[in-house]
Amino acid sequence: MSLELLEKLSECVEFGKINQASPYPPQMKGQSGADEITKEALEAGIAPSDILNNALITAMNKVGQKYTENKIFVPQMLLSAKAMSASMAHLKPFFASGAVQRKGKFIIGTVFGDLHDIGKNLFGMMVEGAGWEVIDLGIDVKIEKFVETVQQNPGAVVGISALLTTTMVNMKPVIDAIKAISPDTKIIVGGAPLSSDFASQIGADGYGKNPQEGIVWLDKISA
Amino acid sequence: MQTWKSNFSETKKHYTDWWNGKGIVLTMWEHLFKEGAPYENILPPPPHKDLNQLWFDPIWRAQQLHYTMSRNSYLADILPVANTQLGPGSLAAILGSVLEGREDTIWIHQKPDFDGQIIFDEKGWKLHEDLLRNCVANARGKYMVGCPDLVEGLDVLASLKGSDNVLMDLIMDPDGTLEQLRKINEAYFDVFNRIYDIINVNGEMAFCYFSLWAPGTVSKLQVDISIMISEDDYRTFCLPFLREQTEKIDYTLYHLDGVDAIRHLDAILELENLNAIQWTPGYGQPQGGNPQWYELYKRILTGGKSVMANWVTLDELEPLLDNVGNQGMHINVDFKSEKDIEQALKIVERYR
Ligand code: B12
C-alpha cells in the first residue's frame, strides 16, 4: 500500500500532475495528483522523510536526467516542479518541527542587474527536489542581501545565477563579499554565458552547466 | 533622389540577388564613421538631458540620427538606414509592455496586470510613430529610415506575461495560447503596415535589425524562447504564425539564436516563402565565421535558403567563402575602419 502510494506520487511529479483538477498530463486526467496523494500518504502514516526521499527526490532525479538528455523541455520541467511544490507544501510542517532532516540550506539568487530567472528557478527547484531547504532571494539580488542571508543562515551553501555577459562580472564582488565575512561558505555559480574557467577565475567553489551537474557538486560537498 | 550612399544601386542589386539565393552581400552590424568630410554639415543635438531623452524623445533622437547618418561610412554594402530601435520588441511595447531606457540599451518589462487580452496601446504606437515621422522628415531622401525590431509570436507573449507563464500555458492552456498568438499576428500586420506606410521609399523598405533592405516589404522573424520548447510544440505554436508572416511579407529572414535553437531548423526550412536564415551562435561559442558553422550554413543553403553570417573576422572571410560557396551569402564583418572594409572588399570581389 505505502509503496504503491509512493510510486504513484513519484509518477505524478515525474509527469507534472499537480492535482486532480489539473488537465495535464492528458493521460492522467481526472486522477489524483501530487497534492492529493501526498495528503493520502501522510494520513496512511507514511513517514514524511520517506515521501521526500523515496518519491520526490527519485522523481526529480529522473526529471533532471530527462531534461539533460533533451527528452523533456522547460515547460514539462516547470510542471514537474509545480507538482513537487504541491507535495512539499504538505511536508513543510515536518521540516519545521525537525521530524524530517534535510541535507542543508541552499541560498539562491540571480545576481544584481540581471532579471533572468527561469534557469535559476529550475535549479532551485531541482535542489529542493534533491532534499535541500532552498532560500530563494529572487532576481536582481544586491550584494548586501546575499551577505545578510549568509549571516542569518550559517553553514548554508550559496548559488548565484547570471544570464548576461554584462552581469556575470557582478558575481565576483558578491563572492568576495561573502567570503570576506564567511570564508568557509561554499558558492556555486551557473547560467548560460558562464564556464567552469570563468567560475574558478571569480573565486567560486563550483560551477554547474545544468541542474544535474550542480546537484552532483552539492552532493559531493555535503557528503 | 540621391542618397548619401553613392553605390546604393549596386548594393540593392546585391541584396536582391541574395534574397534570391545568389551572390554575396558584404556589410557590417550598424555603422562606423567615415574618413574625411561629412556628406553634409549637420549639427548634433545638445547632449541628452537624461536617459529618457536619449531613447524616447523623438525630436532629439531623430536629430542625433541625422547627425550620425551624415558621417557614417556606406562603403561596400553598408546601408544608409537610420536605426530607430526602441528596444527588443516594439510590437510588445505597442501591446502594453513597458520600456525602460538604460545607459546601453532599452529594457522591456511585462505588461502590468496583463489579463490575457491582446490590446493595441495607442501610447506605445505614438512613441514609434513620432520617432519614425521625425526621422523621415529629416532624411528627405538622403537615407532610409529602418523599421524598428518588431518581434512576434511567443516572444511577444513572453514580454507581455513573462516567459515562464508562457511556457506553462503551452501545456495548461494550449487553446488560449493559440488564440493569443492569432491576435498577436493580427496586431503585427496592423503595426507593420502602418510603419511601412511611413518609411517605405517607392515601395522599398529597410529593417534595422540585421541591416536589411529589400525591393518590397521586409522583416526579421524570430522565436528566441523556442530554445526552451520541444520540436512538436514549435510546430504547433510557432510554425503556423511564422508561415503567415512569410506569406504576407515579401522578404523574410529568420534569426536563429543559439545552439539549442538548431533543433528547430528542419521545421524552419519547411517555410516555403522564407528567404534567408541568420545564425547567432550565442555566448561562449565561436562567432559566425568559424569553421564550426560551415556545415550548418551548407544545411541552410541546401534547404533552399540564403545565409547571413555575423561577426565574421577579416581572416575568416576567405576560408568561409571557399568552404560554403559564393551564392546566397550575407556576411557581416566587425569592421573597425574604412581600411578594413576596403580589404574585405578586395577579397569578396574575387568571389563575385
Ligand atoms: C527568456 C529570456 C529573457 C526574458 C527573461 C525572463 C525570465 N523571467 O527569466 C526577458 C524577456 C525578461 C529577457 C530580458 C533581457 N534579455 Co534575455 N533572454 C532570454 C532567453 C531567450 C532565454 C534565457 C533562458 O531562460 N534560458 C533557459 C534557461 C533554462 O537556461 P539558463 O538560464 O541558462 O539556465 C540553465 C543553466 O544555465 C543552469 N543554471 C542557471 N542558473 C544557474 C545557477 C546555478 C548556481 C547553477 C548550478 C546552474 C544554473 O540551469 C538552467 C537549467 O538548465 C535568452 C536567449 C538564449 N538563447 O538563451 C535571452 C538572453 C539571455 N537575453 C539577452 C538580453 C540582451 C536581454 C536584455 C538585455 C534585452 C533587453 N534589451 O531588454 C534583457 C535584460 C534584462 C535583464 N537585466 O536581465 C541576451 C544576453 C546577451 C549577452 N551577451 O549577455 C540573450 C542571450 C539573448 C541574445 N541572444 O541576445 N530575456
Side-chain angles (χ1 to χ4, degrees), chain A residues 4-20:
Chain A
E4 199 186 311
L5 275 178
L6 288 177
E7 261 168 25
K8 248 167 63 187
L9 177 58
S10 174
E11 210 173 291
C12 287
V13 173
E14 184 182 348
F15 296 103
K17 179 73 178 166
I18 303 169
N19 52 30
Q20 190 167 12

Side-chain angles (χ1 to χ4, degrees), chain B residues 110-314:
Chain B
Q110 274 166 244
K111 178 177 178 176
D113 317 317
F114 178 69
D115 64 356
Q117 300 299 315
I118 306 297
I119 298 166
F120 193 93
D121 175 66
E122 289 297 338
K123 206 169 115 249
W125 164 246
K126 182 95 172 50
L127 176 72
H128 288 78
E129 183 182 23
D130 288 349
L131 175 60
L132 295 170
R133 287 200 191 281
N134 276 288
C135 286
V136 169
N138 281 349
R140 293 190 322 271
K142 302 292 174 39
Y143 50 88
M144 291 179 76
V145 176
C147 177
D149 192 14
L150 283 173
V151 179
E152 49 272 312
L154 282 184
D155 285 351
V156 172
L157 211 45
S159 295
L160 289 171
K161 66 178 177 184
S163 305
D164 25 7
N165 291 327
V166 171
L167 295 171
M168 296 273 290
D169 284 347
L170 296 188
I171 292 178
M172 302 303 269
D173 185 17
D175 295 338
T177 302
L178 287 169
E179 184 53 28
Q180 288 172 336
L181 289 169
R182 273 190 284 275
K183 294 266 170 57
I184 287 175
N185 251 26
E186 264 170 40
Y188 180 93
F189 293 118
D190 178 15
V191 170
F192 185 90
N193 292 335
R194 290 178 189 220
I195 292 178
Y196 176 78
D197 288 345
I198 299 173
I199 65 172
N200 90 84
V201 178
N202 304 322
E204 299 169 8
M205 179 181 171
F207 198 94
C208 296
Y209 224 73
F210 295 118
S211 308
L212 299 172
W213 171 91
T217 53
V218 56
S219 190
K220 176 225 47 161
L221 313 180
Q222 67 171 55
V223 194
D224 279 358
I225 199 176
S226 69
I227 56 159
M228 292 190 256
I229 67 175
S230 69
E231 287 96 304
D232 285 350
D233 282 347
Y234 190 89
R235 285 177 185 279
T236 307
F237 296 101
C238 308
L239 216 49
F241 305 98
L242 292 168
R243 176 162 283 118
E244 191 185 2
Q245 288 180 290
T246 60
E247 281 165 0
K248 290 194 174 155
I249 300 168
D250 298 329
Y251 297 90
T252 44
L253 168 96
Y254 187 90
H255 158 58
L256 189 67
D257 189 339
V259 176
D260 289 328
I262 298 178
R263 292 186 284 118
H264 304 303
L265 185 56
D266 283 337
I268 297 163
L269 288 171
E270 287 169 21
L271 294 166
E272 302 83 8
N273 291 322
L274 177 73
N275 300 84
I277 298 179
Q278 183 277 341
W279 169 237
T280 297
Y283 190 78
Q285 297 289 338
Q287 292 298 0
N290 192 279
Q292 187 173 327
W293 312 121
Y294 292 168
E295 281 312 308
L296 176 68
Y297 294 149
K298 286 186 206 163
R299 214 176 127 197
I300 294 172
L301 290 167
T302 313
K305 311 297 176 202
S306 299
V307 163
M308 181 187 281
N310 290 67
W311 306 287
V312 175
T313 59
L314 270 181

Side-chain angles (χ1 to χ4, degrees), chain A residues 67 74 77 106 108 113-120 122-123 158-167 188-193 207-211 213-214, chain B residues 87-88 102 105-108 110 155 158-159 162-164 209 224-225 227-228 255 257-258 280 282-283:
Chain A
Y67 177 77
V74 177
M77 194 149 158
F106 186 71
I108 190 163
D114 202 320
L115 307 176
H116 293 84
D117 68 355
I118 299 172
K120 184 262 305 167
L122 286 178
F123 184 54
V158 177
I160 318 170
S161 179
L163 258 281
L164 298 169
T165 43
T166 47
T167 57
I188 181 169
V189 293
Y207 161 73
K209 188 173 159 47
N210 51 45
E213 273 189 31
Chain B
R102 295 272 177 122
T105 177
I106 298 173
W107 284 16
I108 189 157
Q110 274 166 244
D155 285 351
S159 295
S163 305
D164 25 7
Y209 224 73
D224 279 358
I225 199 176
I227 56 159
M228 292 190 256
H255 158 58
D257 189 339
T280 297
Y283 190 78

